[in-house]
């Protein structure tokens, strides 16, 4: 098995471009998978730079309906019309971010043209694609939403309401004696995702590795309460018999605070990095 980042926020040793967004390439004996597609056609450029042939992709998983994860889909389907694209049926809803009283609400949803692509498979809730690939949502929240998600809204019947993140899905990958859980941004909260995983799959199938963003990033300074929240999340994650590799929306400040607590149980994946699967 091989997992390699194609696009994320921070440049790495590979020297391929970085951007605010996410895309991973996953190769198993059975599949070639694209998990998210970055904010633009940068996914094509970086893949070419890294020697990844996107025309061979058979499965695309869209973690949720935000532009920075879906922006490369329209460029991708120009070179690959055969891959199936799995997304939640609510991925096409009107998603916004509140940028403050001066800037107001900003559309951060997917390009609506994506919704009419014949390759798209809309699903509702959990979906077992095959023995290697299982998509699941959280069924309930045991922990509060991370505070960084409060500014994310859903435009419904002319009103901006708190996004319920029912457009978010996670991938449980089991192949070649490895168990890996991939998240996009963990908008529902990484702790809630872990608890939902245990309810759905059982503790005996806990992932060896959890890979993805935790959405703890902020553009402004962190308050003491927000830093404490990050530390409490890290303490809980440390208690799992699982390793974590994060990127994108976790943010470097949150990563460093979590690293202080989690040590070698937490690593950062940069743009172009190959994920260490030697466990």
């Amino acid at each position: 098995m091989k997992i390699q980042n194609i696009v994320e926020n921070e440049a790495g040793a590979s020297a391929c471009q970085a951007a605010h967004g996410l895309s991973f390439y996953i190769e198993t004996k059975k599949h070639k998978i694209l998990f998210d597609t970055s904010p633009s056609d940068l996914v094509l450029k970086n893949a070419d730079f890294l020697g990844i042939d996107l025309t061979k992709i058979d499965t695309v998983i869209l973690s949720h309906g935000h532009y920075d994860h879906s922006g490369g889909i329209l460029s991708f389907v120009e070179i690959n019309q055969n891959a199936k694209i799995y997304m939640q049926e609510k991925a096409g809803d009107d998603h916004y971010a509140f940028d403050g009283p001066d800037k107001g609400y900003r559309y951060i949803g997917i390009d609506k043209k994506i919704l009419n692509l014949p390759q798209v498979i809309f699903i509702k809730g959990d979906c077992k694609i095959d023995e290697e690939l299982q998509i699941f949502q959280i069924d309930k929240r045991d922990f509060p939403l991370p505070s960084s998600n409060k500014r994310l809204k859903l435009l419904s019947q002319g009103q901006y309401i708190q996004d319920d993140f029912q457009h978010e899905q996670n991938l449980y990958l089991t192949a070649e004696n490895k168990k890996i859980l991939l998240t996009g941004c963990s908008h529902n909260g990484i702790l809630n995702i872990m608890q939902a995983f245990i309810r759905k799959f059982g503790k005996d199938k806990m992932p060896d590795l959890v890979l993805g963003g935790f959405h703890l990033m902020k553009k402004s300074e962190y308050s003491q309460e927000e830093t404490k929240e990050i530390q409490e999340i890290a303490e809980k994650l440390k208690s799992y018999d699982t390793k974590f590799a994060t990127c994108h929306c976790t943010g470097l400040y949150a990563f460093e605070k979590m690293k202080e607590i989690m040590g070698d149980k937490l690593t950062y994946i940069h743009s172009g990095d190959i994920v260490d699967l030697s466990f």
Side-chain angles (χ1 to χ4, degrees), residues 9-144:
N9 296 37
E10 303 295 330
S14 70
C16 65
Q17 295 182 59
H20 180 80
L22 189 64
S23 182
F24 279 103
Y25 170 72
I26 307 165
E27 183 176 328
T28 70
K29 291 180 180 178
K30 187 174 182 177
H31 288 290
K32 290 181 171 62
I33 305 157
L34 201 57
F35 183 83
D36 288 339
T37 65
S38 90
S40 68
D41 64 355
L42 181 58
V43 66
L44 273 64
K45 297 174 183 176
N46 277 4
D48 183 63
F49 179 83
L50 295 168
I52 296 171
D53 186 358
L54 296 185
T55 66
K56 301 293 180 61
I57 296 291
D58 57 78
T59 304
V60 178
I61 307 292
L62 179 63
S63 66
H64 61 292
H66 287 168
Y67 78 94
D68 51 331
H69 296 252
S70 63
I73 290 178
L74 293 177
S75 297
F76 170 78
V77 297
E78 291 181 4
I79 65 166
N80 185 327
Q81 292 84 43
N82 298 315
K84 296 178 180 178
I85 304 171
Y86 292 87
M87 65 181 71
Q88 288 293 316
E89 64 179 12
K90 289 185 174 293
D93 287 353
D94 294 324
H95 301 114
Y96 284 79
F98 181 63
D99 291 335
D102 294 333
K103 296 183 178 180
Y105 294 92
R106 171 173 54 94
Y107 181 71
I108 58 171
I110 69 175
D111 190 318
K112 299 295 186 182
K113 291 192 289 291
I114 294 171
L115 305 179
N116 297 318
L117 293 173
Q119 302 96 320
V120 170
I121 297 175
F122 293 103
I123 58 180
K124 183 177 182 179
D126 300 351
C127 173
K128 184 175 182 178
I129 297 174
D130 58 26
E131 294 303 315
E132 286 191 351
L133 308 177
Q134 296 186 74
I135 291 169
F136 75 96
Q137 290 188 303
I138 71 160
D139 47 359
K140 66 174 183 176
R141 296 193 186 112
D142 300 277
F143 300 90

Side-chain angles (χ1 to χ4, degrees), residues 20 22 35-36 63-64 66 68-69 146 149 152 168-170 182-190 193 212-216 247-250:
H20 180 80
L22 189 64
F35 183 83
D36 288 339
S63 66
H64 61 292
H66 287 168
D68 51 331
H69 296 252
N149 287 294
L152 301 179
E168 183 175 68
Q169 59 186 15
N170 311 284
L182 288 102
T183 72
C185 280
S186 305
H187 285 296
N188 277 295
I190 186 60
I193 292 171
F214 301 156
H215 208 268
L216 300 170
C247 52
H248 178 42
C249 56
T250 299

Side-chain angles (χ1 to χ4, degrees), residues 194-257:
M194 296 299 291
Q195 290 301 105
F197 179 93
I198 292 171
R199 279 193 295 273
K200 291 171 183 284
F201 300 101
K203 287 187 176 181
D204 60 320
K205 295 183 179 179
M206 285 294 287
D208 305 301
L209 176 70
V210 175
L211 172 63
F214 301 156
H215 208 268
L216 300 170
M217 176 187 286
K218 279 191 65 186
K219 294 181 179 179
S220 57
E221 288 189 19
Y222 289 77
S223 67
Q224 289 184 342
E225 291 77 12
E226 289 165 338
T227 298
K228 182 180 178 183
E229 177 186 46
I230 292 167
Q231 293 168 331
E232 289 174 346
I233 291 171
E235 290 284 0
K236 180 62 177 175
L237 293 181
K238 185 181 178 181
S239 71
Y240 291 109
D241 188 21
T242 298
K243 289 191 174 182
F244 296 83
T246 196
C247 52
H248 178 42
C249 56
T250 299
L252 294 181
Y253 174 86
F255 168 75
E256 293 297 338
K257 290 297 179 184

